[in-house]
């Protein structure tokens, strides 16, 4: 059974377990609009029946085999720094996975890969007023013990290691990783975080074929801009891509 963390400062100090729910992100969002939720509260379920992914996609996870949860953060960063939420969460997932496997990468903007297959995705939904993020709901789907996937681009920790994963212990460790990276962000270590993120970024500084707007082109990822858009150096010069504007 999952329990609140006794090790962390903010993330996971409070935990709500839902036996089954449509989407932990939707649940946490609805609740946060009705009542104040303590900073760092985790909403976790063993059975997400209508999990949501990026770009309106579904997030399907076999019940009782994976980690599907959302963390509520109150006023995490100013709106113009929202990309750092993605940075700290993806780094924390990397830190956690690095204790178990090799060949992990962060794929811009939101995916975590093991051996070039997706093991985790994140969906961050902000409630904004003016230039403030009042509440960020950070949704994490991490494939842990599932062995069969519809997509051959997906994997799990168990598939990569051959080892059954205890979900409660894994959650406790992951919350600790999230808390550490979040505290780095809250203490202003943005450059440090971005630097760490770059060293783990999939295809950074490597020539690769990309596609955008139905056209293929060769280029090299050199980084992200202030808004977290992907910067690709091509023969025609630098090109900058927002979310959904490039695939690779
Ligand atoms: C993606 O890669 O498309 C993002 C997937 C995010 C899935 C998680 S699972 C917990 C939380 N609740 C949701 O409905 N989605 C996120």
């Amino acid at each position: 059974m999952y329990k609140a963390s006794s090790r962390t400062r903010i993330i996971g100090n409070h935990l709500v377990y839902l036996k089954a729910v449509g989407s932990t992100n939707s649940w946490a969002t609805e609740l946060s609009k009705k009542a104040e939720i303590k900073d760092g509260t985790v909403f976790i379920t063993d059975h997400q029946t209508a999990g949501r992914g990026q770009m309106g996609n579904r997030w399907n996870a076999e019940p009782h085999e994976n980690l599907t949860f959302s963390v509520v953060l109150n006023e995490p960063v100013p709106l113009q720094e929202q990309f750092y939420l993605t940075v700290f969460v993806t780094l924390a997932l990397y830190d956690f996975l690095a204790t178990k496997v090799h060949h992990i990468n962060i794929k811009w903007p939101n995916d975590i890969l093991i051996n070039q297959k997706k093991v985790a995705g994140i969906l961050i939904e902000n409630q904004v007023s003016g230039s403030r993020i009042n509440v960020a709901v950070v949704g994490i789907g991490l494939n842990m013990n599932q062995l069969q996937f519809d997509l051959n681009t997906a994997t799990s920790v168990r598939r990569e290691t051959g080892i059954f994963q205890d979900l409660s212990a894994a959650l406790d460790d992951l919350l600790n990783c999230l808390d550490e990276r979040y505290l780095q962000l809250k203490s202003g270590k943005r450059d440090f975080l971005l630097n760490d993120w770059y060293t783990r970024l999939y295809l950074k500084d490597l020539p690769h074929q990309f596609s955008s707007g139905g056209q293929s082109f060769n280029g090299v990822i050199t980084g992200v801009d202030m808004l977290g858009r992907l910067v690709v150096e091509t023969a025609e010069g630098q090109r900058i891509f927002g979310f959904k504007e490039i695939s690779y």
Side-chain angles (χ1 to χ4, degrees):
M1 182 47 86
Y2 305 109
K3 51 182 177 32
S5 176
S6 51
R7 292 192 274 166
T8 59
R9 292 267 299 276
I10 300 174
I11 295 182
N13 275 340
H14 303 274
L15 183 141
V16 177
Y17 172 72
L18 304 155
K19 205 162 179 257
V21 70
S23 152
T24 56
N25 260 39
S26 303
W27 184 272
T29 299
E30 288 311 309
L31 210 60
S32 68
K33 287 178 180 166
K34 291 185 205 137
E36 188 166 330
I37 296 176
K38 290 212 168 68
D39 204 16
T41 299
V42 168
F43 293 85
I44 186 162
T45 187
D46 273 321
H47 187 182
Q48 193 169 241
T49 55
R52 296 188 291 111
Q54 296 285 345
M55 298 192 265
N57 291 329
R58 291 281 306 250
W59 181 262
N60 296 321
E62 280 300 317
H64 301 277
E65 295 191 353
N66 303 295
L67 288 176
T68 46
F69 66 99
S70 303
V71 184
V72 172
L73 298 176
N74 295 325
E75 295 196 39
V77 284
L79 183 59
Q80 73 268 21
E81 292 175 22
Q82 63 177 309
F83 181 63
Y84 282 91
L85 295 177
T86 302
V87 171
F88 104 77
V89 176
T90 49
L91 276 173
L93 278 160
Y94 185 106
D95 295 342
F96 167 75
L97 289 168
T99 64
K100 302 186 176 287
V101 280
H102 296 290
H103 309 297
I104 314 159
N105 283 112
I106 296 168
K107 185 176 176 193
W108 178 90
N110 291 300
D111 297 348
I112 311 293
L113 312 179
I114 303 176
N115 290 317
Q116 302 185 27
K117 292 190 172 195
K118 181 163 168 172
V119 68
I122 68 173
L123 179 67
I124 300 177
E125 296 180 304
N126 297 323
Q127 292 164 38
V128 175
S129 79
S131 60
R132 280 170 34 158
I133 300 176
N134 289 337
V135 176
V137 174
V138 174
I140 297 178
L142 172 57
N143 299 331
M144 293 296 291
N145 288 316
Q146 188 169 333
L147 293 175
Q148 310 280 343
F149 293 92
D150 294 342
L151 298 170
N152 65 5
T153 50
T155 194
S156 67
V157 176
R158 186 173 176 190
R159 248 176 90 140
E160 297 300 321
T161 59
I163 299 169
F164 175 82
Q165 303 293 318
D166 181 302
L167 294 182
S168 325
L171 178 75
D172 198 58
D173 290 342
L174 177 54
L175 292 178
N176 209 38
C177 294
L178 284 162
D179 195 62
E180 277 181 15
R181 290 293 186 177
Y182 190 50
L183 292 178
Q184 288 172 358
L185 177 58
K186 290 300 255 185
S187 60
K189 296 190 176 142
R190 285 166 181 58
D191 292 347
F192 171 83
L193 285 164
L194 194 58
N195 200 49
D196 267 8
W197 191 79
Y198 275 149
T199 65
R200 293 151 174 78
L201 185 61
Y202 181 57
L203 292 176
K204 168 109 177 16
D205 298 327
L206 298 173
H208 190 72
Q209 191 172 65
F210 299 86
S211 89
S212 176
Q215 299 211 310
S216 293
F217 62 94
N218 293 315
V220 175
I221 294 173
T222 54
V224 289
D225 70 3
M226 300 272 286
L227 299 173
R229 295 176 303 180
L230 194 69
V231 180
V232 181
E233 210 61 54
T234 73
E236 290 76 43
Q238 197 176 75
R239 294 180 65 180
I240 296 179
F241 298 92
F243 193 37
K244 305 180 198 176
E245 293 174 356
I246 185 170
S247 56
Y248 57 100

Short mmCIF file of all heavy atoms in Angstrom, two decimals, residues 92-150:
data_model
loop_
_atom_site.label_atom_id
_atom_site.label_comp_id
_atom_site.label_asym_id
_atom_site.label_seq_id
_atom_site.Cartn_x
_atom_site.Cartn_y
_atom_site.Cartn_z
N ALA A 92 14.06 14.16 -12.31
CA ALA A 92 13.78 13.27 -11.17
C ALA A 92 13.48 11.85 -11.64
O ALA A 92 13.94 10.87 -11.04
CB ALA A 92 12.61 13.82 -10.37
N LEU A 93 12.74 11.74 -12.74
CA LEU A 93 12.46 10.41 -13.28
C LEU A 93 13.77 9.75 -13.74
O LEU A 93 13.99 8.56 -13.51
CB LEU A 93 11.48 10.52 -14.46
CG LEU A 93 10.01 10.62 -14.04
CD1 LEU A 93 9.17 11.21 -15.16
CD2 LEU A 93 9.46 9.25 -13.63
N TYR A 94 14.61 10.54 -14.36
CA TYR A 94 15.91 10.01 -14.79
C TYR A 94 16.70 9.52 -13.55
O TYR A 94 17.23 8.41 -13.56
CB TYR A 94 16.71 11.12 -15.51
CG TYR A 94 18.01 10.63 -16.08
CD1 TYR A 94 18.15 10.42 -17.45
CD2 TYR A 94 19.10 10.36 -15.26
CE1 TYR A 94 19.35 9.95 -17.97
CE2 TYR A 94 20.29 9.89 -15.77
CZ TYR A 94 20.41 9.69 -17.13
OH TYR A 94 21.59 9.22 -17.63
N ASP A 95 16.77 10.37 -12.51
CA ASP A 95 17.53 10.01 -11.30
C ASP A 95 17.03 8.68 -10.73
O ASP A 95 17.81 7.82 -10.35
CB ASP A 95 17.36 11.08 -10.21
CG ASP A 95 17.95 12.42 -10.59
OD1 ASP A 95 18.76 12.48 -11.53
OD2 ASP A 95 17.57 13.42 -9.94
N PHE A 96 15.71 8.57 -10.67
CA PHE A 96 15.11 7.34 -10.12
C PHE A 96 15.48 6.13 -10.97
O PHE A 96 15.93 5.10 -10.46
CB PHE A 96 13.60 7.50 -10.03
CG PHE A 96 12.88 6.22 -9.78
CD1 PHE A 96 12.89 5.63 -8.53
CD2 PHE A 96 12.21 5.56 -10.82
CE1 PHE A 96 12.26 4.41 -8.31
CE2 PHE A 96 11.57 4.36 -10.61
CZ PHE A 96 11.60 3.78 -9.35
N LEU A 97 15.31 6.26 -12.28
CA LEU A 97 15.56 5.11 -13.17
C LEU A 97 17.04 4.75 -13.20
O LEU A 97 17.39 3.58 -13.38
CB LEU A 97 15.06 5.43 -14.58
CG LEU A 97 13.53 5.47 -14.70
CD1 LEU A 97 13.12 6.08 -16.04
CD2 LEU A 97 12.95 4.07 -14.56
N ALA A 98 17.90 5.73 -13.01
CA ALA A 98 19.34 5.47 -13.06
C ALA A 98 19.79 4.55 -11.93
O ALA A 98 20.86 3.95 -12.00
CB ALA A 98 20.11 6.79 -13.01
N THR A 99 18.96 4.40 -10.89
CA THR A 99 19.31 3.46 -9.81
C THR A 99 18.98 2.02 -10.23
O THR A 99 19.31 1.07 -9.52
CB THR A 99 18.53 3.78 -8.51
OG1 THR A 99 17.13 3.60 -8.75
CG2 THR A 99 18.80 5.20 -8.05
N LYS A 100 18.32 1.88 -11.40
CA LYS A 100 17.86 0.54 -11.80
C LYS A 100 18.38 0.08 -13.15
O LYS A 100 18.58 -1.12 -13.37
CB LYS A 100 16.33 0.51 -11.86
CG LYS A 100 15.70 0.87 -10.54
CD LYS A 100 14.21 0.70 -10.54
CE LYS A 100 13.63 0.98 -9.18
NZ LYS A 100 13.92 -0.07 -8.19
N VAL A 101 18.55 1.00 -14.09
CA VAL A 101 18.95 0.62 -15.46
C VAL A 101 19.96 1.60 -16.06
O VAL A 101 20.19 2.69 -15.52
CB VAL A 101 17.73 0.61 -16.44
CG1 VAL A 101 16.93 -0.62 -16.31
CG2 VAL A 101 16.87 1.84 -16.29
N HIS A 102 20.54 1.18 -17.20
CA HIS A 102 21.40 2.07 -17.98
C HIS A 102 20.63 2.54 -19.22
O HIS A 102 19.50 2.14 -19.44
CB HIS A 102 22.65 1.31 -18.44
CG HIS A 102 23.51 0.87 -17.31
ND1 HIS A 102 24.22 1.75 -16.52
CD2 HIS A 102 23.77 -0.37 -16.82
CE1 HIS A 102 24.87 1.08 -15.60
NE2 HIS A 102 24.62 -0.21 -15.74
N HIS A 103 21.29 3.33 -20.03
CA HIS A 103 20.77 3.77 -21.34
C HIS A 103 19.43 4.50 -21.22
O HIS A 103 18.47 4.19 -21.92
CB HIS A 103 20.64 2.57 -22.30
CG HIS A 103 21.89 1.77 -22.39
ND1 HIS A 103 23.07 2.30 -22.87
CD2 HIS A 103 22.16 0.50 -22.03
CE1 HIS A 103 24.00 1.37 -22.80
NE2 HIS A 103 23.49 0.28 -22.29
N ILE A 104 19.40 5.46 -20.31
CA ILE A 104 18.20 6.29 -20.14
C ILE A 104 18.46 7.63 -20.82
O ILE A 104 19.57 8.15 -20.79
CB ILE A 104 17.93 6.57 -18.64
CG1 ILE A 104 18.04 5.29 -17.82
CG2 ILE A 104 16.58 7.24 -18.43
CD1 ILE A 104 18.30 5.57 -16.35
N ASN A 105 17.42 8.17 -21.42
CA ASN A 105 17.49 9.52 -21.98
C ASN A 105 16.20 10.27 -21.70
O ASN A 105 15.14 9.66 -21.54
CB ASN A 105 17.67 9.50 -23.51
CG ASN A 105 19.08 9.16 -23.91
OD1 ASN A 105 19.33 8.11 -24.47
ND2 ASN A 105 20.01 10.05 -23.64
N ILE A 106 16.31 11.59 -21.71
CA ILE A 106 15.13 12.44 -21.68
C ILE A 106 14.89 12.87 -23.12
O ILE A 106 15.79 13.40 -23.76
CB ILE A 106 15.37 13.68 -20.79
CG1 ILE A 106 15.59 13.25 -19.35
CG2 ILE A 106 14.20 14.66 -20.92
CD1 ILE A 106 16.12 14.35 -18.44
N LYS A 107 13.72 12.58 -23.64
CA LYS A 107 13.41 13.01 -25.00
C LYS A 107 12.53 14.26 -24.93
O LYS A 107 11.44 14.21 -24.34
CB LYS A 107 12.70 11.90 -25.78
CG LYS A 107 12.48 12.30 -27.23
CD LYS A 107 11.88 11.19 -28.05
CE LYS A 107 11.60 11.69 -29.47
NZ LYS A 107 10.76 10.78 -30.23
N TRP A 108 13.04 15.34 -25.50
CA TRP A 108 12.28 16.60 -25.49
C TRP A 108 10.89 16.37 -26.08
O TRP A 108 10.79 15.69 -27.10
CB TRP A 108 13.02 17.65 -26.34
CG TRP A 108 12.28 18.95 -26.43
CD1 TRP A 108 12.40 20.00 -25.59
CD2 TRP A 108 11.32 19.33 -27.42
NE1 TRP A 108 11.56 21.02 -25.99
CE2 TRP A 108 10.88 20.63 -27.11
CE3 TRP A 108 10.77 18.70 -28.54
CZ2 TRP A 108 9.94 21.32 -27.89
CZ3 TRP A 108 9.82 19.38 -29.30
CH2 TRP A 108 9.42 20.67 -28.96
N PRO A 109 9.84 16.91 -25.50
CA PRO A 109 9.88 17.69 -24.25
C PRO A 109 9.54 16.89 -22.99
O PRO A 109 9.93 17.31 -21.90
CB PRO A 109 8.77 18.73 -24.48
CG PRO A 109 7.76 18.00 -25.33
CD PRO A 109 8.52 17.02 -26.18
N ASN A 110 8.86 15.77 -23.11
CA ASN A 110 8.24 15.17 -21.92
C ASN A 110 8.49 13.69 -21.68
O ASN A 110 7.90 13.13 -20.77
CB ASN A 110 6.71 15.32 -22.03
CG ASN A 110 6.26 16.74 -21.89
OD1 ASN A 110 6.51 17.37 -20.88
ND2 ASN A 110 5.63 17.26 -22.93
N ASP A 111 9.27 13.06 -22.52
CA ASP A 111 9.35 11.60 -22.44
C ASP A 111 10.66 11.13 -21.81
O ASP A 111 11.69 11.75 -21.96
CB ASP A 111 9.27 10.98 -23.85
CG ASP A 111 7.94 11.26 -24.52
OD1 ASP A 111 7.02 11.72 -23.83
OD2 ASP A 111 7.85 11.01 -25.73
N ILE A 112 10.55 9.96 -21.18
CA ILE A 112 11.76 9.31 -20.68
C ILE A 112 11.90 8.00 -21.43
O ILE A 112 10.95 7.21 -21.52
CB ILE A 112 11.66 8.99 -19.16
CG1 ILE A 112 11.21 10.22 -18.37
CG2 ILE A 112 12.99 8.47 -18.64
CD1 ILE A 112 12.18 11.36 -18.33
N LEU A 113 13.09 7.77 -21.95
CA LEU A 113 13.37 6.57 -22.74
C LEU A 113 14.36 5.66 -22.02
O LEU A 113 15.27 6.15 -21.34
CB LEU A 113 13.98 6.95 -24.10
CG LEU A 113 13.32 8.06 -24.94
CD1 LEU A 113 14.11 8.28 -26.22
CD2 LEU A 113 11.88 7.68 -25.26
N ILE A 114 14.15 4.36 -22.21
CA ILE A 114 15.21 3.40 -21.88
C ILE A 114 15.48 2.64 -23.17
O ILE A 114 14.54 2.14 -23.81
CB ILE A 114 14.79 2.37 -20.79
CG1 ILE A 114 14.35 3.07 -19.50
CG2 ILE A 114 15.94 1.42 -20.49
CD1 ILE A 114 13.82 2.11 -18.43
N ASN A 115 16.74 2.57 -23.53
CA ASN A 115 17.10 1.94 -24.81
C ASN A 115 16.20 2.43 -25.95
O ASN A 115 15.72 1.64 -26.77
CB ASN A 115 17.03 0.41 -24.69
CG ASN A 115 18.14 -0.12 -23.81
OD1 ASN A 115 19.28 0.33 -23.92
ND2 ASN A 115 17.82 -1.05 -22.92
N GLN A 116 15.96 3.73 -25.97
CA GLN A 116 15.19 4.42 -27.00
C GLN A 116 13.70 4.07 -27.03
O GLN A 116 13.00 4.36 -27.99
CB GLN A 116 15.82 4.20 -28.38
CG GLN A 116 17.27 4.69 -28.39
CD GLN A 116 17.91 4.60 -29.76
OE1 GLN A 116 17.23 4.67 -30.77
NE2 GLN A 116 19.22 4.45 -29.78
N LYS A 117 13.23 3.41 -25.99
CA LYS A 117 11.79 3.12 -25.89
C LYS A 117 11.19 3.90 -24.72
O LYS A 117 11.84 4.06 -23.69
CB LYS A 117 11.54 1.64 -25.69
CG LYS A 117 11.91 0.83 -26.93
CD LYS A 117 11.44 -0.59 -26.82
CE LYS A 117 11.67 -1.27 -28.17
NZ LYS A 117 10.94 -2.51 -28.29
N LYS A 118 9.95 4.31 -24.88
CA LYS A 118 9.33 5.18 -23.87
C LYS A 118 8.91 4.39 -22.63
O LYS A 118 8.12 3.45 -22.74
CB LYS A 118 8.14 5.90 -24.48
CG LYS A 118 7.43 6.84 -23.53
CD LYS A 118 6.56 7.81 -24.28
CE LYS A 118 5.64 8.56 -23.36
NZ LYS A 118 4.91 9.64 -24.04
N VAL A 119 9.41 4.81 -21.49
CA VAL A 119 9.06 4.14 -20.23
C VAL A 119 8.17 5.04 -19.36
O VAL A 119 7.45 4.54 -18.50
CB VAL A 119 10.34 3.72 -19.46
CG1 VAL A 119 11.12 4.94 -18.94
CG2 VAL A 119 10.03 2.78 -18.31
N ALA A 120 8.23 6.35 -19.62
CA ALA A 120 7.44 7.27 -18.80
C ALA A 120 7.06 8.51 -19.58
O ALA A 120 7.78 8.92 -20.49
CB ALA A 120 8.22 7.68 -17.55
N GLY A 121 5.91 9.08 -19.21
CA GLY A 121 5.48 10.34 -19.80
C GLY A 121 4.94 11.23 -18.70
O GLY A 121 4.52 10.74 -17.63
N ILE A 122 4.97 12.53 -18.95
CA ILE A 122 4.43 13.46 -17.96
C ILE A 122 3.43 14.41 -18.61
O ILE A 122 3.55 14.72 -19.79
CB ILE A 122 5.53 14.24 -17.22
CG1 ILE A 122 6.24 15.22 -18.16
CG2 ILE A 122 6.54 13.31 -16.59
CD1 ILE A 122 7.22 16.13 -17.44
N LEU A 123 2.46 14.80 -17.83
CA LEU A 123 1.45 15.76 -18.30
C LEU A 123 1.28 16.80 -17.20
O LEU A 123 0.74 16.50 -16.13
CB LEU A 123 0.13 15.03 -18.57
CG LEU A 123 -1.04 15.89 -19.04
CD1 LEU A 123 -0.78 16.45 -20.43
CD2 LEU A 123 -2.33 15.06 -19.06
N ILE A 124 1.79 18.02 -17.47
CA ILE A 124 1.72 19.08 -16.47
C ILE A 124 0.62 20.06 -16.88
O ILE A 124 0.64 20.58 -18.00
CB ILE A 124 3.07 19.81 -16.35
CG1 ILE A 124 4.17 18.83 -15.93
CG2 ILE A 124 2.96 20.96 -15.33
CD1 ILE A 124 5.56 19.42 -15.86
N GLU A 125 -0.33 20.26 -15.99
CA GLU A 125 -1.46 21.15 -16.29
C GLU A 125 -1.48 22.29 -15.27
O GLU A 125 -1.58 22.04 -14.07
CB GLU A 125 -2.76 20.35 -16.31
CG GLU A 125 -2.72 19.32 -17.45
CD GLU A 125 -3.96 18.46 -17.56
OE1 GLU A 125 -4.32 17.81 -16.55
OE2 GLU A 125 -4.57 18.45 -18.63
N ASN A 126 -1.33 23.51 -15.80
CA ASN A 126 -1.21 24.69 -14.93
C ASN A 126 -2.52 25.46 -14.84
O ASN A 126 -3.21 25.62 -15.84
CB ASN A 126 -0.14 25.63 -15.48
CG ASN A 126 1.24 24.99 -15.48
OD1 ASN A 126 1.57 24.25 -14.55
ND2 ASN A 126 2.03 25.27 -16.49
N GLN A 127 -2.81 25.93 -13.65
CA GLN A 127 -3.92 26.89 -13.47
C GLN A 127 -3.28 28.26 -13.30
O GLN A 127 -2.54 28.50 -12.34
CB GLN A 127 -4.74 26.51 -12.25
CG GLN A 127 -5.51 25.20 -12.46
CD GLN A 127 -6.01 24.61 -11.17
OE1 GLN A 127 -6.44 25.32 -10.28
NE2 GLN A 127 -5.95 23.29 -11.06
N VAL A 128 -3.54 29.11 -14.29
CA VAL A 128 -2.80 30.37 -14.40
C VAL A 128 -3.70 31.55 -14.09
O VAL A 128 -4.87 31.57 -14.48
CB VAL A 128 -2.26 30.49 -15.84
CG1 VAL A 128 -1.57 31.83 -16.06
CG2 VAL A 128 -1.30 29.34 -16.15
N SER A 129 -3.15 32.54 -13.37
CA SER A 129 -3.85 33.85 -13.34
C SER A 129 -2.78 34.92 -13.50
O SER A 129 -1.81 34.97 -12.75
CB SER A 129 -4.69 34.02 -12.08
OG SER A 129 -3.93 34.37 -10.99
N GLY A 130 -2.95 35.75 -14.52
CA GLY A 130 -1.94 36.74 -14.86
C GLY A 130 -0.64 36.06 -15.22
O GLY A 130 -0.61 35.15 -16.05
N SER A 131 0.45 36.46 -14.56
CA SER A 131 1.75 35.85 -14.85
C SER A 131 2.10 34.80 -13.79
O SER A 131 3.25 34.39 -13.66
CB SER A 131 2.83 36.92 -14.90
OG SER A 131 2.87 37.56 -13.65
N ARG A 132 1.08 34.37 -13.04
CA ARG A 132 1.33 33.40 -11.97
C ARG A 132 0.73 32.04 -12.29
O ARG A 132 -0.36 31.95 -12.85
CB ARG A 132 0.68 33.87 -10.66
CG ARG A 132 1.50 34.90 -9.95
CD ARG A 132 0.76 35.52 -8.83
NE ARG A 132 -0.16 34.60 -8.13
CZ ARG A 132 -0.57 34.80 -6.90
NH1 ARG A 132 -0.15 35.84 -6.23
NH2 ARG A 132 -1.41 33.97 -6.33
N ILE A 133 1.46 31.02 -11.92
CA ILE A 133 0.86 29.67 -11.91
C ILE A 133 0.37 29.47 -10.49
O ILE A 133 1.17 29.35 -9.56
CB ILE A 133 1.89 28.59 -12.28
CG1 ILE A 133 2.46 28.84 -13.68
CG2 ILE A 133 1.25 27.20 -12.20
CD1 ILE A 133 3.56 27.86 -14.09
N ASN A 134 -0.94 29.48 -10.31
CA ASN A 134 -1.47 29.26 -8.95
C ASN A 134 -1.28 27.82 -8.51
O ASN A 134 -0.85 27.54 -7.39
CB ASN A 134 -2.97 29.57 -8.90
CG ASN A 134 -3.22 31.04 -9.03
OD1 ASN A 134 -2.34 31.86 -8.74
ND2 ASN A 134 -4.40 31.40 -9.49
N VAL A 135 -1.62 26.92 -9.42
CA VAL A 135 -1.50 25.48 -9.13
C VAL A 135 -0.98 24.77 -10.37
O VAL A 135 -1.44 25.04 -11.48
CB VAL A 135 -2.88 24.86 -8.77
CG1 VAL A 135 -2.79 23.36 -8.57
CG2 VAL A 135 -3.46 25.52 -7.52
N ALA A 136 0.00 23.90 -10.17
CA ALA A 136 0.42 23.01 -11.26
C ALA A 136 0.07 21.58 -10.84
O ALA A 136 0.38 21.17 -9.72
CB ALA A 136 1.92 23.12 -11.51
N VAL A 137 -0.59 20.87 -11.75
CA VAL A 137 -0.85 19.45 -11.50
C VAL A 137 0.12 18.68 -12.38
O VAL A 137 0.06 18.75 -13.61
CB VAL A 137 -2.31 19.09 -11.82
CG1 VAL A 137 -2.53 17.58 -11.69
CG2 VAL A 137 -3.26 19.83 -10.89
N VAL A 138 1.04 17.98 -11.72
CA VAL A 138 2.09 17.25 -12.42
C VAL A 138 1.71 15.78 -12.49
O VAL A 138 1.72 15.08 -11.47
CB VAL A 138 3.44 17.40 -11.68
CG1 VAL A 138 4.52 16.53 -12.33
CG2 VAL A 138 3.89 18.85 -11.63
N GLY A 139 1.33 15.32 -13.66
CA GLY A 139 0.91 13.93 -13.83
C GLY A 139 2.06 13.08 -14.35
O GLY A 139 2.74 13.47 -15.29
N ILE A 140 2.24 11.94 -13.72
CA ILE A 140 3.34 11.04 -14.11
C ILE A 140 2.80 9.64 -14.36
O ILE A 140 2.07 9.08 -13.53
CB ILE A 140 4.42 10.99 -13.01
CG1 ILE A 140 5.04 12.40 -12.83
CG2 ILE A 140 5.49 9.95 -13.34
CD1 ILE A 140 6.08 12.49 -11.75
N GLY A 141 3.13 9.11 -15.51
CA GLY A 141 2.83 7.71 -15.81
C GLY A 141 4.15 7.00 -16.04
O GLY A 141 4.90 7.36 -16.95
N LEU A 142 4.45 6.04 -15.17
CA LEU A 142 5.73 5.33 -15.27
C LEU A 142 5.45 3.83 -15.37
O LEU A 142 4.86 3.24 -14.45
CB LEU A 142 6.59 5.65 -14.04
CG LEU A 142 7.89 4.86 -13.85
CD1 LEU A 142 8.82 4.99 -15.05
CD2 LEU A 142 8.61 5.34 -12.59
N ASN A 143 5.85 3.26 -16.49
CA ASN A 143 5.62 1.83 -16.69
C ASN A 143 6.61 1.03 -15.85
O ASN A 143 7.81 1.13 -16.04
CB ASN A 143 5.79 1.48 -18.17
CG ASN A 143 4.81 2.22 -19.06
OD1 ASN A 143 3.71 2.56 -18.62
ND2 ASN A 143 5.19 2.46 -20.30
N MET A 144 6.07 0.24 -14.94
CA MET A 144 6.94 -0.49 -14.01
C MET A 144 6.98 -2.00 -14.29
O MET A 144 8.03 -2.55 -14.58
CB MET A 144 6.48 -0.24 -12.57
CG MET A 144 6.65 1.20 -12.10
SD MET A 144 8.38 1.73 -12.05
CE MET A 144 9.02 0.77 -10.69
N ASN A 145 5.83 -2.68 -14.15
CA ASN A 145 5.84 -4.14 -14.28
C ASN A 145 5.13 -4.67 -15.51
O ASN A 145 5.14 -5.89 -15.76
CB ASN A 145 5.22 -4.77 -13.03
CG ASN A 145 6.14 -4.65 -11.83
OD1 ASN A 145 7.36 -4.89 -11.94
ND2 ASN A 145 5.60 -4.25 -10.69
N GLN A 146 4.50 -3.80 -16.27
CA GLN A 146 3.75 -4.24 -17.45
C GLN A 146 4.71 -4.84 -18.48
O GLN A 146 5.77 -4.28 -18.76
CB GLN A 146 3.01 -3.03 -18.04
CG GLN A 146 2.05 -3.39 -19.14
CD GLN A 146 1.14 -2.23 -19.53
OE1 GLN A 146 0.87 -1.34 -18.70
NE2 GLN A 146 0.69 -2.21 -20.76
N LEU A 147 4.32 -5.98 -19.04
CA LEU A 147 5.22 -6.65 -20.00
C LEU A 147 4.73 -6.55 -21.44
O LEU A 147 5.52 -6.65 -22.37
CB LEU A 147 5.41 -8.12 -19.60
CG LEU A 147 6.18 -8.33 -18.29
CD1 LEU A 147 6.23 -9.82 -17.91
CD2 LEU A 147 7.60 -7.79 -18.38
N GLN A 148 3.43 -6.40 -21.63
CA GLN A 148 2.88 -6.32 -22.99
C GLN A 148 2.41 -4.90 -23.28
O GLN A 148 1.71 -4.31 -22.46
CB GLN A 148 1.65 -7.23 -23.13
CG GLN A 148 1.84 -8.64 -22.65
CD GLN A 148 2.58 -9.49 -23.68
OE1 GLN A 148 2.66 -9.11 -24.84
NE2 GLN A 148 3.09 -10.61 -23.25
N PHE A 149 2.77 -4.42 -24.45
CA PHE A 149 2.32 -3.08 -24.86
C PHE A 149 1.79 -3.14 -26.28
O PHE A 149 2.29 -3.90 -27.10
CB PHE A 149 3.49 -2.08 -24.81
CG PHE A 149 3.97 -1.80 -23.42
CD1 PHE A 149 5.02 -2.55 -22.89
CD2 PHE A 149 3.39 -0.83 -22.64
CE1 PHE A 149 5.46 -2.32 -21.60
CE2 PHE A 149 3.82 -0.58 -21.35
CZ PHE A 149 4.87 -1.34 -20.83
N ASP A 150 0.79 -2.31 -26.57
CA ASP A 150 0.28 -2.21 -27.94
C ASP A 150 1.33 -1.62 -28.86
O ASP A 150 1.44 -2.01 -30.01
CB ASP A 150 -0.98 -1.32 -27.98
CG ASP A 150 -2.13 -1.97 -27.22
OD1 ASP A 150 -2.05 -3.19 -26.99
OD2 ASP A 150 -3.07 -1.24 -26.84
#
